[in-house]
Amino acid sequence: MKLVASIFCLMISCVAFAQHQALSQLVYEIRDPSTDSAHFRQALEKIGEYLALEVLDELETTEESITTLMQADAKHQIVQETPVLVTILRAGLPLNNGVQKIFQNSEVGFLAMSRNEKTLKADVDYIALPDLKDRCVIIVDTMLATGGSLLDAVRIVEQGCPKKIFVIAAIASEYGLERVCEYNPHIKVFSAAVDPVLNERGYIVPGLGDAGDRSFGMKHLVSMPTS
Ligand code: PRP
Ligand code: URA
């Protein structure tokens, strides 16, 4: 499976499949149906931290010199820019908490999306974004399944004219990744796992189930009261 995913990622240039052992253990934990919601969210946070470090490596650096107590200079490549995080409610929240631990001073934008389980298209219910002009933006969502939600998010973010868009996802499907790369090959997606199958309900297989439900509990549909 790992090998298949790696070969797939080599074929799609905009995907970075982070593969180290710590991440693999965390993905195992979120896939495990017996992981309770507290540990599920904790594991997602940790995955967010690791993937954020991968994005950090992609940001522009400048050479800075520091004079130490030994009266000697040391030169370092330092990241100066602070990316804007944009997370998709609700399943993106635990992953975003982890990303924020790395980018502590980042502004955070929110998009509330609900995927219609029949059409598999997302309705956008709420948009709250900071100024994105000429900024690096990291869109954070736990699952990249059909790619519909992410592509909607990308189109919304693009209206703000950012300099560069990155995506952090815990688990992505091959199909979703292909759609994103086809839409814009300059968007770089960082994912802890790439899965081969999307079932007829648009769920990733093997995946982990419903990320929002596993993080926060099952949704019970309530219709708007009429006034
Ligand atoms: C999940 C996830 C993504 C979306 C991915 O949200 O957070 O936003 O599904 O699916 P797609 O790639 O096919 O669009 P979900 O709709 O389950 O809502 P939730 O966060 O409220 O649980
Ligand atoms: N949303 C989820 O939470 N899980 C999937 O597998 C696909 C979409």
Side-chain angles (χ1 to χ4, degrees), residues 4-73:
V4 173
S6 309
I7 292 168
F8 169 78
C9 291
L10 288 178
M11 293 182 329
I12 295 198
S13 58
C14 68
V15 181
F17 175 36
Q19 251 190 321
H20 55 81
Q21 188 55 30
L23 263 175
S24 176
Q25 283 180 26
L26 289 162
V27 174
Y28 181 87
E29 208 173 317
I30 57 174
R31 287 195 198 276
D32 181 350
S34 71
T35 299
D36 64 32
S37 67
H39 288 97
F40 184 84
R41 291 193 308 271
Q42 270 171 28
L44 276 180
E45 272 195 38
K46 212 69 208 149
I47 290 171
E49 280 183 58
Y50 283 123
L51 294 179
L53 289 172
E54 305 276 339
V55 176
L56 189 63
D57 278 345
E58 301 280 319
L59 300 180
E60 279 173 28
T61 57
T62 51
E63 188 173 86
E64 301 290 332
S65 182
I66 186 81
T67 307
T68 71
L69 287 172
M70 311 310 292
Q71 300 309 319
D73 289 345

Side-chain angles (χ1 to χ4, degrees), residues 92-104:
L93 278 177
L95 193 67
N96 188 71
N97 287 344
V99 176
Q100 252 189 309
K101 287 195 173 146
I102 303 303
F103 298 110
Q104 297 193 11

